[in-house]
Amino acid sequence: MKLLQKTAILLPVLLFFFFIAGNAEAEGPKEINTEKSPLHRSVFAMPVYVLLPDGCSFVKSQAGCVDKTKKVSLESSVIRLSYSALLEEFTEENLKKASMELKMKNEFIWNGSSAILMKIFQKKGSALVGKWTLVVDRGEECWMINGLYPAKDQKRGEAVLKTIKSAYWENEKSSSSAEIPQGNVDVHGTTLKLAALLDGAVVYTKDGFLPTKKDDGSLFVVSRLSNTFVTPDKQPGFAKEKLQMIEKGEKIDIISEKEVMIDGLSGIEIVGYTSGEQTKLIYQTMLFDGKNSHVMVGIASSGIPENLDLFHSTAETFKTAR
């Protein structure tokens, strides 16, 4: 629980992970070997290819692709945890807290890798979302692929399952990082390590684990808000609005705000503290390129002066994806 508390900002993202445990009985691993056909498509950051569902018109999203009309989406994440560690990290209790119900869970040897396929129902407001989730062992990291659809639409659920089952990748495991379309920061020579690529965000922690096990709970997140043009006069207000959304339920008191220029992009750097019982440092730099907004967020619950310097210097190294 302490680990989850340290990464409260990422709770909505971590909901993707809370699928891993349940009381459904799993069969022994079966072997699946898919073949890549001319119809397979690359829609994820990692080298995974799938057959897209018939009758859908997908557009690119930060994590994969989506058909907003039919409410079907495909998303992917790269998680810097071993397969066994990831499966042990989450419990049935966490699954229930995330308003999720595990409907099915089966283990496979898939294209030469250990994998688990799950069917999940999750409540989102008044809606019930169905998810087919595939978690793949890739050595020092895991791949997670999600297919989302309206839970009551059995036909779309079957189409999404067919797409997930068509997943193809080379069976050679690799610990190299996937291409990062959100942009890059240079953490070489710092205490930060890549922890995960998930839901359109790149997450760095000091131990390379998510949730982090470090006492200061520090993390640094790089993300991109696509197709969000903000005129220069409205950029400060827009950045402040997004800052207040970082720690849900807690007001953030701003102590400094200044204009910055990084990688040829103008932006706003804001530093603040949460006003709750446990004070946290909240750092945010937002850069604007005329089409997208690039966001860097740092959070720490202790070691605040050192972490502020770390977040500031890391943000200054940002480079947009070329």
Side-chain angles (χ1 to χ4, degrees), residues 32 34-35 37 39-40 49-55 72 74 110 117 131-134 145 147-149 154-168:
I32 294 180
T34 55
E35 295 184 1
S37 75
L39 298 178
H40 273 75
Y49 303 84
V50 294
L51 296 172
L52 296 176
D54 294 332
V72 172
L74 301 172
W110 198 310
L117 177 66
K131 299 183 182 183
W132 283 104
T133 299
L134 179 65
I145 300 171
L148 289 74
Y149 62 95
Q154 184 177 352
K155 185 176 180 181
R156 289 183 198 173
E158 291 173 353
V160 170
L161 174 60
K162 185 177 179 180
T163 291
I164 297 296
K165 283 187 172 180
S166 73
Y168 169 86

Side-chain angles (χ1 to χ4, degrees), residues 201-262:
V202 188
V203 187
Y204 299 88
T205 61
K206 291 181 179 178
D207 52 11
F209 291 103
L210 188 67
T212 182
K213 300 176 182 179
K214 292 293 185 178
D215 291 337
D216 64 4
S218 58
L219 56 91
F220 190 84
V221 184
V222 181
S223 62
R224 181 180 64 192
L225 303 176
S226 299
N227 301 317
T228 52
F229 172 71
V230 184
T231 58
D233 60 309
K234 294 184 178 179
Q235 290 174 2
F238 183 77
K240 291 177 184 178
E241 178 184 344
K242 295 302 180 184
L243 179 81
Q244 295 298 336
M245 297 172 62
I246 293 174
E247 288 286 310
K248 291 185 178 180
E250 289 195 49
K251 183 178 181 295
I252 298 175
D253 296 325
I254 297 174
I255 64 169
S256 69
E257 174 187 347
K258 69 176 182 179
E259 297 181 356
V260 295
M261 181 70 70
I262 299 174

Side-chain angles (χ1 to χ4, degrees), residues 29-97:
K30 297 178 181 179
E31 188 168 348
I32 294 180
N33 290 293
T34 55
E35 295 184 1
K36 184 181 178 183
S37 75
L39 298 178
H40 273 75
R41 296 290 180 263
S42 172
V43 297
F44 306 122
M46 74 276 282
V48 175
Y49 303 84
V50 294
L51 296 172
L52 296 176
D54 294 332
C56 290
S57 299
F58 286 100
V59 295
K60 185 176 177 58
S61 65
Q62 286 190 355
C65 60
V66 60
D67 183 331
K68 294 182 179 180
T69 302
K70 292 185 169 60
K71 299 180 180 179
V72 172
S73 62
L74 301 172
E75 303 173 347
S76 68
S77 305
V78 178
I79 306 161
R80 195 173 180 272
L81 278 178
S82 70
Y83 183 71
S84 59
L86 182 59
L87 297 187
E88 291 175 358
E89 185 70 28
F90 302 96
T91 65
E92 183 177 359
E93 180 182 359
N94 288 332
L95 187 69
K96 291 180 179 178
K97 287 181 179 179

Side-chain angles (χ1 to χ4, degrees), residues 18-25 92 95-96 99-106 116-122 131 133:
F18 293 161
F19 308 153
I20 303 305
N23 55 13
E25 293 184 5
E92 183 177 359
L95 187 69
K96 291 180 179 178
S99 300
M100 294 184 182
E101 181 182 359
L102 179 64
K103 293 291 187 179
M104 187 213 75
K105 179 175 70 174
N106 284 311
I116 186 168
L117 177 66
M118 294 164 286
K119 181 180 181 180
I120 309 294
F121 280 1
Q122 180 185 8
K131 299 183 182 183
T133 299

Side-chain angles (χ1 to χ4, degrees), residues 182-317:
Q182 293 83 357
N184 298 274
V185 291
D186 184 3
V187 297
H188 180 72
T190 74
T191 54
L192 292 174
K193 300 177 182 178
L194 179 64
L197 300 174
L198 45 100
D199 195 30
V202 188
V203 187
Y204 299 88
T205 61
K206 291 181 179 178
D207 52 11
F209 291 103
L210 188 67
T212 182
K213 300 176 182 179
K214 292 293 185 178
D215 291 337
D216 64 4
S218 58
L219 56 91
F220 190 84
V221 184
V222 181
S223 62
R224 181 180 64 192
L225 303 176
S226 299
N227 301 317
T228 52
F229 172 71
V230 184
T231 58
D233 60 309
K234 294 184 178 179
Q235 290 174 2
F238 183 77
K240 291 177 184 178
E241 178 184 344
K242 295 302 180 184
L243 179 81
Q244 295 298 336
M245 297 172 62
I246 293 174
E247 288 286 310
K248 291 185 178 180
E250 289 195 49
K251 183 178 181 295
I252 298 175
D253 296 325
I254 297 174
I255 64 169
S256 69
E257 174 187 347
K258 69 176 182 179
E259 297 181 356
V260 295
M261 181 70 70
I262 299 174
D263 193 33
L265 303 178
S266 61
I268 307 293
E269 179 190 81
I270 303 176
V271 178
Y273 294 98
T274 57
S275 56
E277 294 183 2
Q278 182 182 5
T279 299
K280 293 180 184 177
L281 167 69
I282 307 295
Y283 173 91
Q284 177 186 275
T285 287
M286 184 173 289
L287 304 173
F288 305 91
D289 65 9
K291 181 180 180 181
N292 306 305
S293 300
H294 305 272
V295 188
M296 289 169 281
V297 171
I299 297 179
S301 57
S302 63
I304 289 177
E306 296 82 3
N307 280 308
L308 178 56
D309 288 342
L310 174 63
F311 298 155
H312 174 78
S313 60
T314 301
E316 287 187 327
T317 69

